[in-house]
Amino acid sequence: MKIETKNLNLWYGTFQALKEVNVAFQEKRITAIIGPSGCGKSTLLRVFNRMNDLIEGVRTSGEVFIDGVNIIDHAADLVSLRKQVGMVFQRPNPFPLSVYENIVFGQRIHGAMSKGALDEVVQQSLESVLLWDELKDRLNESAMGLSLEQKQRLCIARLIAVQPDIVLMDEPCSTLDPQATQRIEELMRELKKNYTIIIVTHNMQQAARVSDDAGFMLLGELVEFAKTEDVFTKPKDKRTEDYITGKYG
Amino acid sequence: MRNPQRTEKIAFFFLFLATLVIALPVGLVVIIIISKGLPAINWQFLSDIPRQGMRSGGIFPAIMGTVYLVTGAIIFALPIGLLAAVYLSEYAKDNLLTRVIKLAIVNLAGVPSVVYGLFGLALFVVFFKFGASILSGSLTLGIMILPIIITASREALESVPYSFREVSYSLGASKWQTIRHIVLPNAIPGILTGTILGLGRAAGETAPILFTVAAFYLPQLPKSIFDQAMALPYHLYVISTQVPNVDEKIRYATALVLLVLVLCMNLVAILIRYQFRKRKKW
Ligand SMILES: Nc1ncnc2c1ncn2[C@@H]1O[C@H](COP(=O)(O)OP(=O)(O)OP(=O)(O)O)[C@@H](O)[C@H]1O
Ligand SMILES: [Mg+2]
């Protein structure tokens, strides 16, 4: 198991956003987390790179193991955790820097590299998100001028450059048109060969198309977790069935 | 008897009138100063020392004095103001102490400049024994513009989108790395704008330099930061009220130089802000 949670609870102040979540994510697969708005999908995702730490008043209990190490532990090294667990956000959010500088940002932070090595990182990262041919002559242009899809790919490239092995995606396609969404999904299938991917999505078709496993959350609970096929064709829980047949949310 | 169109017209008229009432005096001031001062402006006026008890000659020492003072003020106030702003907007927890500090800073911006002058006299001139000197004057002006710089810098820092910081953290950057590589570079235009506005204020004030540095008549350039210096606003005050029979042309020309200096600074600030607005796309 790549990631495993044991009795995970999380509170925003007095509001409990995650309730006794027990789940295990397998290596080099795509796992989708679905559920209605406000059920705690993003919160769960942000446990895995401890981004919830940035919010004041957050309290967590339970255990979360990544490669067998409990990352909820206060002694956990946040820098190496976040290098290992990268995140793609809902809105494409490149820095207002050049394409090149966006990609090498992580490298600049995590220690010096020669110009040649940086160039290599840029090329490899862009190639792995299939942007190299489009952008190889525009490396010094501002990333703010790219299309939305290019921006989102660039954001993926930027995190691939720090060599994570887990990629968290929080509704990565919600600002993209259907064609771009489809291409990003293709990219995800490609990335699955090297990365463990967890994607939060509102779009059930997307979850069905792209994921190997799927979890359904409701009001902070993980109601169901199984192979995607099974979740969509023979859900065990009545609430899951109601959700995927569109009875609410 | 309700007629929206007529109400609209009346409202428009009064709003326009109010704007005119503000704009007119500003325009008049500028026009009068230019028309009365411009004839006296020439190279000699800008580059010569005052002669014949300031009734002729130039205002070069006063210009340079103001330049020194403003430079000194900025060397002192920018680093401290920036560090304070970074601390307040990025690090300080939102507790009572922080709120009191923030409130104090806002209020400091409203303290009359003569109070800063007295403060500078007591602290720098007397207590630290810097005497009436460029050092004392610069420090006093620096303290006066600190609130402006801190407030502008805080606004600039806080307007950097949270999403930039979020990504930076998610890539493993520490708080300081995030501030250093992401927040500060994106806040620089706003910080510069505030700084330059502060400079304009420092260049134009008389009261803070009155007791701390300003020389009545010093027909040479200061040799060190412990010397007194002339300064444009004080010089203008002196030749307008303390020295009899100074030609009106000279007074207005001095005012014009001061005005142009301050307006130029504000113009630079506006240009920087404009450039930044154009470029920023988030
Ligand atoms: N910073 C916060 N402070 C307090 N409550 C929060 C905070 N962030 C989220 N919550 C609450 O926690 C619950 C879960 O939020 P979360 O963002 O994880 O939901 P989500 O499933 O990702 O929803 P969406 O689909 O709308 O993105 C919601 O009820 C939300 O109101
Ligand atoms: Mg969410």
Side-chain angles (χ1 to χ4, degrees):
Chain A
M1 284 302 139
K2 189 72 183 170
I3 308 181
E4 199 166 359
T5 75
K6 295 226 167 87
N7 302 331
L8 174 65
N9 289 288
L10 185 143
W11 292 264
Y12 292 111
T14 54
F15 175 75
Q16 186 166 9
L18 294 179
K19 295 170 186 161
E20 294 292 315
V21 175
N22 290 289
V23 62
F25 299 90
Q26 295 183 54
E27 193 165 17
K28 297 190 179 159
R29 283 167 82 85
I30 300 179
T31 307
I33 299 175
I34 56 172
S37 193
C39 68
K41 306 180 296 291
S42 301
T43 305
L44 178 62
L45 208 59
R46 295 161 63 96
V47 166
F48 303 135
N49 59 352
R50 300 242 328 236
M51 286 296 277
N52 290 319
D53 286 23
L54 299 176
I55 301 165
E56 220 159 299
V58 169
R59 198 159 52 83
T60 317
S61 77
E63 293 165 307
V64 177
F65 296 99
I66 294 183
D67 291 335
V69 179
N70 184 7
I71 59 144
I72 296 298
D73 205 324
H74 280 286
D77 173 7
L78 278 191
V79 172
S80 51
L81 173 66
R82 289 178 183 159
K83 276 164 79 173
Q84 187 191 1
V85 186
M87 185 162 217
V88 179
F89 296 80
Q90 188 166 356
R91 293 192 60 79
N93 49 6
F95 297 124
L97 302 169
S98 67
V99 170
Y100 186 97
E101 283 303 320
N102 262 283
I103 296 175
V104 300
F105 178 79
Q107 250 66 37
R108 296 227 190 273
I109 296 256
H110 297 307
M113 260 193 174
S114 70
K115 175 88 173 85
L118 287 180
D119 289 351
E120 187 116 328
V121 166
V122 170
Q123 176 161 358
Q124 280 171 2
S125 308
L126 283 177
E127 274 170 352
S128 61
V129 298
L130 313 176
L131 265 187
W132 175 250
D133 291 329
E134 266 168 78
L135 293 190
K136 63 171 185 270
D137 301 319
R138 299 171 60 187
L139 294 179
N140 294 316
E141 278 176 35
S142 167
M144 300 317 253
L146 302 180
S147 74
L148 270 179
E149 182 192 353
Q150 287 174 327
K151 282 184 186 167
Q152 195 61 304
R153 282 173 188 265
L154 178 67
C155 292
I156 300 174
R158 175 176 62 186
L159 87 90
I160 282 176
V162 252
Q163 300 175 321
D165 51 27
I166 298 169
V167 176
L168 310 173
M169 298 183 156
D170 195 346
E171 304 187 38
C173 302
S174 63
T175 58
L176 304 180
D177 62 50
Q179 283 81 31
T181 300
Q182 201 185 344
R183 288 192 293 267
I184 297 280
E185 285 171 10
E186 272 161 34
L187 173 62
M188 290 173 62
R189 285 187 204 101
E190 193 60 37
L191 293 175
K192 181 168 88 168
K193 293 176 191 152
N194 299 309
Y195 305 91
T196 305
I197 300 177
I198 307 178
I199 176 177
V200 162
T201 175
H202 261 126
N203 179 333
M204 275 185 283
Q205 286 78 28
Q206 178 169 59
R209 279 193 305 262
V210 82
S211 67
D212 304 300
D213 302 314
F216 170 64
M217 291 185 71
L218 190 63
L219 299 171
E221 276 178 70
L222 184 74
V223 171
E224 183 144 359
F225 189 91
K227 288 221 161 53
T228 303
E229 260 180 64
D230 297 343
V231 171
F232 281 97
T233 54
K234 38 186 189 243
K236 290 199 197 68
D237 197 293
K238 178 77 173 59
R239 292 169 292 176
T240 315
E241 191 179 337
D242 286 351
Y243 181 72
I244 58 181
T245 53
K247 287 221 177 87
Y248 55 100
Chain B
M1 259 300 285
R2 279 196 181 196
N3 182 340
Q5 249 158 344
R6 212 184 54 191
T7 320
E8 172 79 40
K9 271 190 190 138
I10 295 174
F12 173 81
F13 175 75
F14 279 107
L15 295 172
F16 179 72
L17 201 68
T19 313
L20 206 63
V21 167
I22 302 166
L24 211 61
V26 176
L28 274 180
V29 166
V30 173
I31 289 169
I32 291 174
I33 290 180
I34 290 180
S35 65
K36 292 199 176 180
L38 202 56
I41 297 222
N42 52 39
W43 180 242
Q44 197 214 348
F45 183 72
L46 295 176
S47 64
D48 197 5
I49 58 169
R51 294 175 194 282
Q52 294 177 13
M54 297 180 260
R55 289 181 190 85
S56 74
I59 55 168
F60 185 61
I63 295 178
M64 288 316 290
T66 289
V67 169
Y68 290 152
L69 285 173
V70 164
T71 310
I74 221 63
I75 289 173
F76 167 68
L78 183 57
I80 293 184
L82 190 53
L83 292 177
V86 169
Y87 173 75
L88 285 174
S89 61
E90 305 290 327
Y91 284 97
K93 294 237 158 49
D94 187 29
N95 56 26
L96 187 67
L97 180 68
T98 312
R99 277 196 295 258
V100 168
I101 292 177
K102 287 180 180 171
L103 194 68
I105 290 169
V106 172
N107 280 309
L108 271 181
V111 169
S113 55
V114 67
V115 176
Y116 284 104
L118 279 173
F119 172 77
L121 173 67
L123 188 68
F124 303 123
V125 179
V126 178
F127 184 78
F128 283 126
K129 300 195 171 65
F130 295 153
S133 62
I134 292 182
L135 182 61
S136 298
S138 295
L139 290 173
T140 308
L141 287 173
I143 287 184
M144 184 186 75
I145 63 173
L146 258 181
I148 302 175
I149 292 181
I150 294 177
T151 308
S153 302
R154 268 185 52 205
E155 269 165 22
L157 292 168
E158 279 160 21
S159 73
V160 176
Y162 182 70
S163 67
F164 290 176
R165 305 161 200 251
E166 203 174 31
V167 186
S168 174
Y169 291 131
S170 82
L171 291 167
S174 67
K175 185 155 195 168
W176 172 244
Q177 285 172 324
T178 301
I179 293 172
R180 160 81 187 69
H181 292 280
I182 298 300
V183 181
L184 274 180
N186 284 295
I188 279 178
I191 294 170
L192 276 184
T193 310
T195 305
I196 296 170
L197 290 177
L199 281 186
R201 171 107 196 269
E205 285 284 352
T206 312
I209 56 174
L210 192 57
F211 320 119
T212 55
V213 50
F216 188 81
Y217 178 59
L218 192 76
Q220 60 181 12
L221 291 184
K223 293 188 184 60
S224 85
I225 56 169
F226 294 103
D227 285 353
Q228 278 189 284
M230 297 181 82
L232 277 175
Y234 183 62
H235 183 65
L236 180 59
Y237 164 74
V238 166
I239 58 176
S240 306
T241 62
Q242 308 294 303
V243 182
N245 302 327
V246 179
D247 190 351
E248 193 188 59
K249 271 194 320 195
I250 292 187
R251 303 203 302 248
Y252 277 98
T254 307
L256 182 58
V257 171
L258 181 58
L259 191 71
V260 167
L261 200 76
V262 174
L263 287 185
C264 277
M265 286 180 186
N266 288 358
L267 191 69
V268 171
I270 290 167
L271 284 179
I272 291 177
R273 192 179 294 193
Y274 173 74
Q275 274 296 328
F276 181 57
R277 289 249 170 87
K278 228 175 42 179
R279 238 190 38 218
K280 105 171 172 188
K281 288 210 186 88
W282 63 78

